[in-house]
């Protein structure tokens, strides 16, 4: 039976850790977040009736699931590969000070991710945590864009290829590293990646340079300042609009969703 390193996947994080360690560590295989911890996914029937949502950034990680949903939540997670896309830094700054992730078309690039299987109530809450309609759009991925991997703990079952996969995509576009190229997340495994990868620290440094905040403040002071000042974050996001790239033909379509009460996640 799989044993999970809870100290690795469910660390105690400071507010600065939330920015510096983004997008956090996640198991490579299937698991269930339950009772504030991790358990093997032993019965694929637990996926029935839930919506499959591709996790491209911190939603992959148990520590983020615990933060968003609390210890009482039960959320199955299954491994998957996103095809012909890279996971790159978005042209924005999150409310916790990280330069967050989003998908961007990249022919031949395959990314190892996972899928969160959410019940109806969890899906609505996830929409709120993604500041839907302001920071992110809810999208339906094209058929064939995602391949589910065998869920060994579920007796070798494979999620049906016909399963519709949803996800979130940054409305701000992606950060232009230069010459119209995005920057991949160094901590997200990918094969055939042609984009240069940046660490979270390197991405934050680039954001500071592009927005005129490359002053003598240490990075931890800059992050703390951004965490405490929404107006300053909004100003940075507005400036980053001049350094954003957008997919001309992304492998997904936007799903209209009406939602209120997203202010807490901006």
């Amino acid at each position: 039976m799989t044993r999970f390193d809870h100290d690795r996947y469910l660390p105690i994080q400071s507010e600065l850790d939330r920015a510096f360690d983004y997008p956090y560590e996640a198991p490579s295989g299937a698991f269930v977040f339950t009772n504030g911890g991790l358990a093997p996914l032993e019965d694929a029937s637990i996926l029935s009736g839930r919506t499959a949502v591709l996790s491209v950034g911190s939603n992959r990680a148990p520590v983020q699931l615990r933060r968003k949903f609390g210890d009482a939540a039960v959320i199955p997670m299954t491994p998957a590969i996103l095809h012909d896309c890279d996971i790159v830094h978005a042209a924005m700054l999150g409310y916790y000070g990280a330069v967050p992730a989003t998908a961007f078309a990249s022919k031949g690039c395959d990314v190892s991710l996972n899928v969160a299987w959410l019940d109806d109530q969890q899906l609505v809450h996830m929409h709120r945590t993604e500041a839907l309609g302001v920071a992110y759009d809810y999208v339906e991925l094209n058929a064939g864009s995602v391949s589910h991997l065998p869920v060994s703990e579920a007796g070798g079952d494979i999620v049906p290829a016909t399963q519709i996969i949803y996800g979130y995509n940054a409305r701000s576009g992606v950060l232009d590293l230069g010459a119209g190229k995005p920057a991949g997340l160094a901590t997200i495994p990918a094969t055939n990646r042609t984009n240069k990868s940046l660490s979270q620290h390197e991405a934050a440094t680039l954001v500071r340079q592009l927005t005129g905040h490359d002053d003598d403040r240490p990075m931890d002071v800059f992050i703390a300042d951004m965490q405490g000042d929404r107006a300053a974050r909004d100003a940075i996001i507005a400036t980053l609009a001049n350094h954003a790239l957008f997919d001309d033909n992304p492998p997904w379509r936007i799903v209209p969703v009406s939602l209120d009460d997203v202010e807490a996640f901006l």
Side-chain angles (χ1 to χ4, degrees):
M1 178 178 290
T2 300
R3 296 186 182 276
F4 297 97
D5 185 342
H6 286 229
D7 290 337
R8 176 182 178 184
Y9 297 122
L10 291 163
I12 297 172
Q13 290 182 317
S14 69
E15 288 302 303
L16 286 176
D17 290 337
R18 291 187 64 186
F20 289 141
D21 295 344
Y22 179 94
Y24 324 125
E25 290 205 63
S28 59
F31 64 93
V32 181
F33 175 77
T34 180
N35 295 320
L38 304 182
L41 199 166
E42 298 177 326
D43 183 358
S45 68
I46 193 176
L47 309 179
S48 179
R50 292 173 175 262
T51 299
V53 180
L54 187 70
S55 304
V56 305
S58 63
N59 292 334
R60 303 160 36 259
V63 70
Q64 187 74 314
L65 298 176
R66 182 174 61 185
R67 181 179 293 115
K68 288 189 174 187
F69 295 98
D71 288 350
V74 176
I75 304 175
M77 307 288 289
T78 58
I81 301 292
L82 175 64
H83 301 293
D84 292 327
C85 283
D86 197 359
I87 303 305
V88 302
H89 293 276
M92 66 166 135
L93 197 64
Y95 70 96
Y96 44 90
V99 185
T102 195
F104 195 79
S106 182
K107 188 68 174 176
C109 184
D110 290 339
V111 190
S112 299
L113 299 171
N114 63 25
V115 171
W117 295 79
L118 305 178
D119 65 28
D120 291 346
Q121 186 176 5
Q122 290 166 349
L123 181 62
V124 172
H125 183 64
M126 185 69 90
H127 287 343
R128 290 196 173 98
T129 69
E130 298 298 312
L132 200 67
V134 181
Y136 284 86
D137 286 319
Y138 186 53
V139 301
E140 177 184 330
L141 281 93
N142 294 352
S145 294
V146 178
S147 294
H148 297 280
L149 299 181
V151 182
S152 59
E153 296 290 351
D157 290 340
I158 299 176
V159 179
T162 55
Q163 173 71 46
I164 297 175
I165 307 297
Y166 298 90
Y168 298 96
N169 191 253
R171 294 168 62 92
S172 64
V174 307
L175 195 59
D176 186 354
L177 185 59
K181 297 286 288 184
L185 267 71
T187 50
I188 301 290
T191 58
N192 301 318
R193 174 177 274 161
T194 59
N195 298 314
K196 180 179 178 180
S197 297
L198 295 182
S199 68
Q200 182 60 220
H201 189 280
E202 290 169 332
T205 298
L206 177 60
V207 164
R208 294 182 69 175
Q209 292 169 346
L210 293 176
T211 61
H213 288 270
D214 51 344
D215 47 46
D216 59 0
R217 281 177 294 176
M219 186 62 78
D220 59 344
V221 174
F222 169 76
I223 294 298
D225 288 347
M226 293 303 103
Q227 289 175 336
D229 190 342
R230 177 175 171 179
R233 294 196 305 272
D234 287 346
I236 282 179
I237 293 170
T239 302
L240 287 177
N242 299 317
H243 306 279
L245 305 171
F246 294 88
D247 267 333
D248 293 328
N249 188 29
W252 56 75
R253 68 173 187 88
I254 295 174
V255 179
V257 177
S258 297
L259 189 71
D260 56 13
D261 191 26
V262 299
E263 287 296 308
F265 302 97
L266 291 171

